[in-house]
Amino acid sequence: MTAFTTTVDSGLALVTLDLPGEPVNKLTSGLIDEWETLIERLRGDSAVRAVVLVSGKPDSFIAGADIEEFTRLTTAAEAEALSRRGQDLMDRVEQFPKPIVAAIHGACLGGGCELALACHWRVATDSPKTQIGLPEVQLGLLPGAGGCVRLPRLIGARAALDIILAGKTERAQKALKLGLVDEVVPQSILRQVALAAADRLAREGTARRHRSRGAAGALLDGTPVGRRIVYRMAQKQLLKKTGGHYPAPLAALEAVRIGLEHGPAEGFRAERERFGALAVTPVSRNLVRIFFATTALKKDDGVPPGTEVEPLAIGRVGIVGSGFMGAAIAGTAVLNAEVEARLKDAELPRVGKGLKAALGILDERLKRRRLPAPRHRRLAALLSGTADYSGFTRADLVIEAVFEDLDVKRRVLAEVEREIRPEAIFATNTSTIPIRDIAAGAARPERVIGMHFFSPVERMPLLEIIPSDATDARTVVSAVRFGRAMGKTVIVVRDHPGFWVNRILSPYLNEAGVMIEEGVPVDLIDRTMTRWGFPVGPVALMDEVGLDVAQKASKVMHAAFGERLAPPAAIGRMIEDGRLGRKNARGFYAYHEGHKTGVDERVYRILGVKPLEGFAAEDVERRLVYLMLNEAAMACGEGVVRSARDGDVGAIFGIGFPPFRGGPLRLIDELTAGSVVETLTRLQEAHGARFAPAPALEAMASRGGRFHPD
Ligand code: 3HC
């Protein structure tokens, strides 16, 4: 035995799980073997009346089945067998003749949660680190170790589907409310409370819990007719949400339904069959790859391995520009990194407005009960403002979020450098302007770096970090770590116009504009791309970003890359008509009280086109998708991203490239570079030189290579 240690006192066995050499506990095949042996021994040990299972890891109970093992599965039958193994294990726990209590602190996810569900009592700590749930659908899977059957039986169909179909995790208090755990206690007394529960259960038997779910709950969860309504509504919502691209939630819904309507045995069968089928789908493979890519990025400081630097401890941040971006950066920094954030703008009323917006981010968490009131008060006190750089001498990092204009940014850098300590870092939040241009006149260019945040900062998961050639390694590592502390997935990209995300977005948005000029209806363009899997279509995205902002960015790209990335005239004409997008409620779409009401048909007149009828959606899709793939290949070939992994993560988290497709570079690998070149060549013949295949892609096609090694 290596993973488990057992101590027995007064008939209570305390089993501590600590998987050797791993940061978290996970249900590996080896661990399952050990657990089976252990449980048989405890069964036969007459000195043991009850068992408590606790984790020896600091912040994880059990993080689920070993996802690494899934990557080695080649057939559905193998995956089904793995699921069956998990189900048998949980069954043995549930049928164990002595009570087993799960003492939960930290991540209790997937197979870990399923193990807890099979136990006879669950005690969880009230720590924010305790997260209990079934995230499997986020990996393109379903709970495959009995979760589809046990969770609905424990907490009712509606609450269970809410967790399973979204792959949600819950904090302990919510889990208690739902009946997912039986007790919530401070971490310091977890073991004692769990041992006391085990003792009680051994003496008195397992208590039957009756939870009142109200009249509507009794009807919807408690009767076959009510549950039919629940299934139908869930299915409708799922089809709308997934666009049919993600098979896992629908399969999970089916497994839950069968388990509730036809009994556990049928439910388990349905669950493992579907788990088997899902585990080998390309969708699941891609989602699992994204999990490992983001996990790897959590440890990647953006400098070559072996670079020895002591990063700057960042406790105070100055933010120049208290507009929409600056305020959101301040609010997010305070919320997640718990640093002091001082907003600077030219006039105090503007500073006041920015502080209010930053505080709004904290208030929203408070309202959604994600932030307890005392912590909210403490964090709010970290925000301050100034109109004259007072306090900036104490800043470790200054983030500039002023207007996207080279001269303005240079002036701010010069002003800030006069105020801050020599070791402090200056980060510029730019979406397109090269950092070397901004840093050209800097006194300390080695301390200047780009931090490209995406809007809305508090919600968008990606951060691009851009060192110039002059930036030193310490600045890179410090900025990357700070970005992560802000809760972002960070990719370090090359100092090239548009960096990565806007580079691949640029031809895609331009082409949408070109199509509108040709008379392709706006709603056809957007509908086609949302059906393909993007969260919003390109035209709606331009409205969201702001047409003036989009135009500014496209001019920078045009200047840098020439005619290939020439902006369409349509955007300029829209701006001439006073249309800036959502922000002034006038864009390609019409808005009413902040809500998009539909395409503004007047746009066609403004652009002097008549909307075409019968334009093929496949043509829209091909032109938009292949231009983005081509640009991704070209930029990757130029070393804009350090790896295909970073490129795909950046596209998925930065612009919502459909995760189930794995990212643009993964998609090229799947289609093969040769076939992408062929399609681009055909598009080039039909539509012009902007479709000319990238040299990197042609080279790859000719040698039959791939962007990803696996
Ligand atoms: N399988 C394999 N490896 C896992 C893992 C898992 N379930 N969970 C975490 N790890 C690994 C990570 O890959 C990473 O490995 P590395 O150090 O070699 O790079 C290490 O554990 C630490 O993970 P993080 O860096 O992500 O640590 P954090 O503290 O930031 O997060 C976590 C911890 C919240 C547990 C997060 O890792 C996580 O969300 N894990 C995945 C949870 C999950 O999806 N579970 C469901 C699995 S599927 C399943 O259970 C099927 C079942 O129904 C049959």
Side-chain angles (χ1 to χ4, degrees):
M1 289 269 170
T2 53
F4 295 97
T5 42
T6 307
T7 55
V8 182
D9 188 10
S10 313
L12 304 176
L14 180 67
V15 175
T16 306
L17 168 58
D18 192 347
L19 195 63
E22 295 289 342
V24 299
N25 286 323
K26 49 190 180 178
L27 296 175
T28 61
S29 298
L31 187 94
I32 293 176
D33 290 341
E34 281 195 28
W35 173 250
E36 281 172 347
T37 314
L38 172 67
I39 206 165
E40 285 316 309
R41 210 186 71 210
L42 293 172
R43 184 196 295 270
D45 188 341
S46 58
V48 172
R49 294 182 293 127
V51 179
V52 170
L53 176 64
V54 69
S55 164
K57 302 289 182 203
D59 290 322
S60 77
F61 175 67
I62 301 172
D66 183 2
I67 304 170
E68 197 85 53
E69 284 186 19
F70 300 164
T71 62
R72 294 193 285 273
L73 295 168
T74 52
T75 64
E78 273 172 22
E80 189 179 330
L82 196 73
S83 167
R84 174 157 217 148
R85 192 113 207 263
Q87 289 180 341
D88 289 349
L89 172 81
M90 305 312 167
D91 194 48
R92 220 166 288 181
V93 170
E94 190 171 51
Q95 302 304 328
F96 198 65
K98 306 169 190 184
I100 305 183
V101 175
I104 304 164
H105 170 72
C108 173
L109 304 174
C113 177
E114 290 171 298
L115 177 57
L117 288 172
C119 290
H120 307 104
W121 196 258
R122 288 159 289 279
V123 187
T125 71
D126 58 6
S127 159
K129 291 186 171 141
T130 296
Q131 299 276 348
I132 307 164
L134 297 168
E136 285 88 340
V137 296
Q138 295 184 14
L139 298 170
L141 300 166
L142 52 67
C148 293
V149 175
R150 284 196 183 88
L151 189 63
R153 283 174 186 268
L154 186 67
I155 67 172
R158 284 171 311 152
L161 287 173
D162 186 42
I163 291 177
I164 294 172
L165 302 187
K168 261 199 337 200
T169 60
E170 302 288 4
R171 300 241 177 133
Q173 280 304 341
K174 176 81 187 289
L176 181 67
K177 210 167 137 209
L178 291 172
L180 177 49
V181 298
D182 302 292
E183 290 178 78
V184 173
V185 298
Q187 192 186 347
S188 56
I189 56 168
L190 176 67
R191 281 173 197 219
Q192 289 97 308
V193 172
L195 286 165
D199 181 46
R200 196 175 60 243
L201 261 58
R203 284 185 286 103
E204 298 169 9
T206 309
R208 288 228 158 265
R209 290 174 296 266
H210 290 288
R211 263 168 232 283
S212 164
R213 298 193 183 110
L219 186 74
L220 288 170
D221 284 341
T223 66
V225 178
R227 287 196 298 270
R228 264 207 297 281
I229 298 173
V230 172
Y231 304 141
R232 213 175 310 131
M233 281 176 50
Q235 182 167 28
K236 217 168 121 192
Q237 277 172 11
L238 277 181
L239 286 172
K240 197 167 157 222
K241 201 168 137 203
T242 64
H245 292 306
Y246 295 87
L250 284 166
L253 175 60
E254 230 356 57
V256 168
R257 187 188 67 76
I258 293 170
L260 281 174
E261 308 311 324
H262 302 284
E266 280 301 299
F268 289 133
R269 194 172 57 77
E271 181 186 86
R272 64 177 173 264
E273 281 175 7
R274 283 164 176 77
F275 183 91
L278 289 169
V280 290
T281 54
V283 172
S284 176
R285 299 269 193 230
N286 280 335
L287 296 177
V288 165
R289 285 176 182 132
I290 295 164
F291 167 75
F292 284 118
T294 46
T295 304
L297 278 167
K298 288 185 199 170
K299 296 177 200 76
D300 188 334
D301 284 335
V303 290
T307 312
E308 293 286 327
V309 282
E310 186 57 42
L312 191 67
I314 291 171
R316 295 190 184 96
V317 181
I319 292 140
V320 185
S322 66
F324 189 64
M325 262 332 239
I329 293 170
T332 310
V334 164
L335 177 68
N336 294 331
E338 299 198 20
V339 291
E340 287 180 32
R342 193 158 171 82
L343 272 174
K344 145 85 175 77
D345 211 315
E347 293 153 18
L348 279 177
R350 271 202 247 165
V351 176
K353 224 172 132 195
L355 285 172
K356 199 166 161 225
L359 190 61
I361 292 174
L362 304 179
D363 292 348
E364 197 250 350
R365 298 293 156 118
L366 179 73
K367 217 164 76 196
R368 284 181 31 223
R369 300 194 186 182
R370 289 272 158 198
L371 199 59
R375 186 145 173 259
H376 174 274
R377 269 197 302 278
R378 192 164 55 75
L379 294 181
L382 297 173
L383 284 165
S384 65
T386 173
D388 62 4
Y389 288 114
S390 66
F392 270 53
T393 47
R394 285 155 32 101
D396 307 303
L397 165 71
V398 172
I399 303 174
E400 158 284 295
V402 299
F403 194 58
E404 187 80 345
D405 178 278
L406 180 58
D407 290 335
V408 178
K409 287 187 184 284
R410 275 188 180 154
R411 202 179 61 234
V412 169
L413 168 57
E415 283 172 12
V416 169
E417 277 193 326
R418 282 197 291 274
E419 302 290 334
I420 58 176
R421 290 175 291 127
E423 63 271 29
I425 295 170
F426 178 89
T428 168
N429 173 52
T430 171
S431 52
T432 42
I433 307 176
I435 309 307
R436 65 175 168 278
D437 293 348
I438 296 171
R444 294 180 293 275
E446 69 280 9
R447 302 266 186 275
V448 178
I449 195 160
M451 284 178 101
H452 178 207
F453 289 93
F454 295 80
S455 184
V457 177
E458 65 278 22
R459 285 211 298 273
M460 289 297 284
L462 189 74
L463 171 65
E464 281 184 311
I465 285 196
I466 314 108
S468 78
D469 289 343
T471 310
D472 66 16
R474 183 178 195 235
T475 302
V476 178
V477 176
S478 308
V480 168
R481 295 213 180 159
F482 183 68
R484 275 208 294 267
M486 279 183 75
K488 303 297 169 201
T489 295
V490 180
I491 58 170
V492 174
V493 299
R494 209 181 125 195
D495 189 16
H496 221 43
F499 316 123
W500 172 252
V501 170
N502 281 335
R503 172 78 181 274
I504 62 172
L505 199 55
S506 183
Y508 170 83
L509 295 184
N510 285 350
E511 193 64 13
V514 171
M515 285 192 208
I516 299 171
E517 287 169 0
E518 289 173 13
V520 182
V522 167
D523 45 355
L524 175 68
I525 298 173
D526 278 351
R527 208 175 44 239
T528 302
M529 296 323 291
T530 51
R531 284 202 180 140
W532 197 74
F534 276 101
V536 289
V539 189
L541 183 62
M542 284 191 269
D543 261 14
E544 294 296 328
V545 168
L547 299 183
D548 51 340
V549 175
Q551 188 189 43
K552 220 170 169 53
S554 62
K555 280 184 177 165
V556 174
M557 301 304 282
H558 185 197
F561 296 99
E563 284 317 293
R564 199 169 55 74
L565 295 189
I571 310 291
R573 282 205 218 116
M574 293 287 285
I575 294 170
E576 279 162 24
D577 190 57
R579 290 173 181 265
L580 302 180
R582 180 186 282 280
K583 64 180 156 199
N584 75 343
R586 296 186 70 215
F588 287 101
Y589 286 86
Y591 298 85
H592 181 67
E593 292 179 354
H595 295 287
K596 201 157 66 185
T597 52
V599 175
D600 188 339
E601 299 292 331
R602 287 171 298 184
V603 162
Y604 300 112
R605 198 165 22 84
I606 293 163
L607 301 179
V609 291
K610 206 166 157 273
L612 296 169
E613 277 175 28
F615 199 90
E618 304 86 75
D619 290 338
V620 173
E621 180 189 305
R622 203 171 303 121
R623 283 167 67 176
L624 291 171
V625 170
Y626 277 80
L627 269 184
M628 185 180 276
L629 297 187
N630 198 34
E631 201 66 32
M634 190 181 304
C636 184
E638 291 164 10
V640 172
V641 278
R642 292 176 308 144
S643 63
R645 172 201 75 185
D646 288 13
D648 283 340
V649 167
I652 291 166
F653 290 171
I655 52 176
F657 192 95
F660 72 94
R661 298 190 189 273
L665 300 166
R666 175 70 63 186
L667 183 56
I668 295 175
D669 283 351
E670 278 174 16
L671 294 167
T672 75
S675 114
V676 176
V677 167
E678 262 176 46
T679 305
L680 282 165
T681 308
R682 278 202 305 278
L683 287 167
Q684 182 184 2
E685 283 158 12
H687 301 284
R690 63 188 182 281
F691 285 93
L697 199 56
E698 285 187 316
M700 192 159 283
S702 67
R703 63 170 194 276
R706 304 165 50 85
F707 284 101
H708 289 271
D710 59 324

